[in-house]
């Protein structure tokens, strides 16, 4: 049942901007609404509706902190059709209105200085096919060798491609943690890490029978900020350096608010922060 609740948690994450409810989630999983409520609370110690509300407001905090979108746009992107209901919910959570929150974050960013030992550049990524599994572990607890061995133990169907594929982490909570100096710390204690592989051939991968714990995710072509670093213990510093660079440079590209990625390359790690125009 935990795999089903992991799928429920991912579905809630992926549909934050849509007016869907518990019945839609139950239909997606093939269970009754009461089963979903009971099992989700058992696995995550929070109800699905409370989880969705929390994640919506955390996303709003990230977008207010790191993007130039106006408050009405952010409200819609976080699933709030009514601007005033969004503002009330946000203030209940963070004790600041969205506008006050954004101003507080700007004051904080103005006193931050670039981290000179990291260099951030802008690149354009090609469309990529990935297979991912959700782990409730901090990225610091997963090593590069562990990435490959983990998949080797679970993905016999991809055995021939494992050595040629690039291990990837997608980190849905990384930006949320970075704005935590202003935002109230999340009450949801399960840190999420999507661990997976870049696969070169989408057509081949689409016909593979994956274990239930894995899912396919297509990453479209997009611009991203690229920062190299040496080991996973430096992730927070690399992220800080990239954000300071991006927020202080005048550029037509802006942080999108989508989950950052970490690629485990042969001689270094590469942080990618998705950008948008």
């Amino acid at each position: 049942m935990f795999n089903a609740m992991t799928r429920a948690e991912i579905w809630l994450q992926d549909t934050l901007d849509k007016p869907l409810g518990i019945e839609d989630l139950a239909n997606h999983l093939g269970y009754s609404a009461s089963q979903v409520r009971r099992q989700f609370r058992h696995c995550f110690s929070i109800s699905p509706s409370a989880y969705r509300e929390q994640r919506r407001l955390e996303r709003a905090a990230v977008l207010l902190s790191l993007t130039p979108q106006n408050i009405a746009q952010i409200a819609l992107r976080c699933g709030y059709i009514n601007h005033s209901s969004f503002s009330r919910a946000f203030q209940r959570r963070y004790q600041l209105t969205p506008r006050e929150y954004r101003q507080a974050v700007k004051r904080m960013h103005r006193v931050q200085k670039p981290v000179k030992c990291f260099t951030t550049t802008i690149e354009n990524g090609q469309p990529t096919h990935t297979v991912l599994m959700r782990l409730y572990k901090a990225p610091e607890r997963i090593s590069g060798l562990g990435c490959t061995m983990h998949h080797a133990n679970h993905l016999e169907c991809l055995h021939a491609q494992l050595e040629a594929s690039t291990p990837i982490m997608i980190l849905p909570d990384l930006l949320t943690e970075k704005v935590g100096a202003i935002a109230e710390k999340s009450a949801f204690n399960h840190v999420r890490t999507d661990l997976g592989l870049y696969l070169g051939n989408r057509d081949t991968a689409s016909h593979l029978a994956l274990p239930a714990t894995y899912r396919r995710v297509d990453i479209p072509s997009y611009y991203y900020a690229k920062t190299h670093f040496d080991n996973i213990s430096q992730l927070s510093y690399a992220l800080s350096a990239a954000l300071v660079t991006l927020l202080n440079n005048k550029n037509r590209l802006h942080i999108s608010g989508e989950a950052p990625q970490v690629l485990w390359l042969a001689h270094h790690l590469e942080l990618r922060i998705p950008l948008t125009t």
Side-chain angles (χ1 to χ4, degrees):
M1 194 66 177
F2 185 75
N3 285 338
M5 292 303 100
T6 297
R7 289 193 292 120
E9 189 263 314
I10 292 169
W11 185 90
L12 289 168
Q13 164 198 293
D14 292 343
T15 60
L16 291 181
D17 60 337
K18 297 179 173 59
L20 301 174
I22 189 65
E23 293 294 343
D24 300 290
L25 174 56
N27 290 336
H28 172 73
L29 296 174
Y31 295 103
S32 70
S34 60
Q35 281 180 303
V36 172
R37 288 191 186 94
R38 184 173 61 254
Q39 292 298 328
F40 195 92
R41 184 179 288 277
H42 174 74
C43 290
F44 298 113
S45 303
I46 189 172
S47 72
S49 59
Y51 171 85
R52 165 166 280 187
E53 179 80 356
Q54 180 173 309
R55 290 302 189 196
R56 280 176 166 167
L57 295 172
E58 288 175 351
R59 173 180 284 182
V62 168
L63 297 177
L64 287 165
S65 300
L66 303 178
T67 79
Q69 292 179 332
N70 64 46
I71 292 173
Q73 290 172 322
I74 290 172
L76 285 173
R77 189 170 168 189
C78 297
Y80 294 91
I81 298 174
N82 186 294
H83 180 283
S84 60
S85 66
F86 163 65
S87 294
R88 288 194 301 272
F90 192 90
Q91 189 165 10
R92 281 196 304 271
R93 170 85 186 180
Y94 296 118
Q95 290 76 56
L96 293 170
T97 67
R99 190 176 305 278
E100 290 168 341
Y101 183 92
R102 172 167 269 172
Q103 291 169 346
V105 171
K106 284 183 178 179
R107 288 194 295 270
M108 183 178 70
H109 287 158
R110 278 199 291 267
V111 302
Q112 291 182 327
K113 296 180 179 180
V115 182
K116 295 182 179 179
C117 58
F118 297 98
T119 301
T120 299
T121 59
I122 307 299
E123 304 283 345
N124 187 10
Q126 299 302 310
T128 305
H129 185 76
T130 66
V131 292
L132 301 172
M133 74 176 303
R134 169 77 33 106
L135 298 177
Y136 296 99
K137 291 182 179 180
E140 292 81 3
R141 296 176 58 192
I142 306 171
S143 69
L145 178 62
C147 287
T148 303
M149 292 182 64
H150 191 94
H151 295 308
N153 291 336
H154 290 82
L155 290 174
E156 293 183 7
C157 57
L158 293 178
H159 183 73
Q161 299 185 46
L162 284 173
E163 292 186 2
S165 300
T166 302
I168 179 177
M169 291 179 178
I170 299 180
L171 305 169
D173 298 319
L174 190 61
L175 295 179
T176 304
E177 293 172 352
K178 184 49 64 177
V179 301
I182 294 292
E184 177 188 344
K185 289 294 185 181
S186 173
F188 188 73
N189 295 320
H190 295 78
V191 177
R192 302 168 296 172
T193 299
D194 284 328
L195 182 66
L197 295 169
Y198 269 152
L199 300 177
N201 190 319
R202 175 179 176 179
D203 294 333
T204 299
S206 65
H207 297 299
L208 294 170
L210 298 176
T213 51
Y214 283 84
R215 68 193 193 277
R216 295 178 177 85
V217 176
D218 288 329
I219 300 176
S221 176
Y222 68 105
Y223 285 96
Y224 61 91
K226 179 178 74 175
T227 307
H228 288 178
F229 58 108
D230 294 326
N231 60 70
I232 198 65
S233 67
Q234 296 177 319
L235 175 59
S236 179
Y237 302 106
L239 177 63
S240 295
L243 293 180
V244 170
T245 299
L246 291 167
L247 292 170
N248 288 293
N249 285 351
K250 301 299 182 183
N251 197 305
R252 68 181 180 87
L253 295 171
H254 305 284
I255 298 167
S256 72
E258 298 299 324
Q261 306 164 15
V262 173
L263 273 65
W264 227 287
L265 304 175
H267 302 294
H268 60 266
L269 282 73
E270 180 178 297
L271 171 66
R272 294 185 175 186
I273 300 175
L275 306 176
T276 188
T277 54

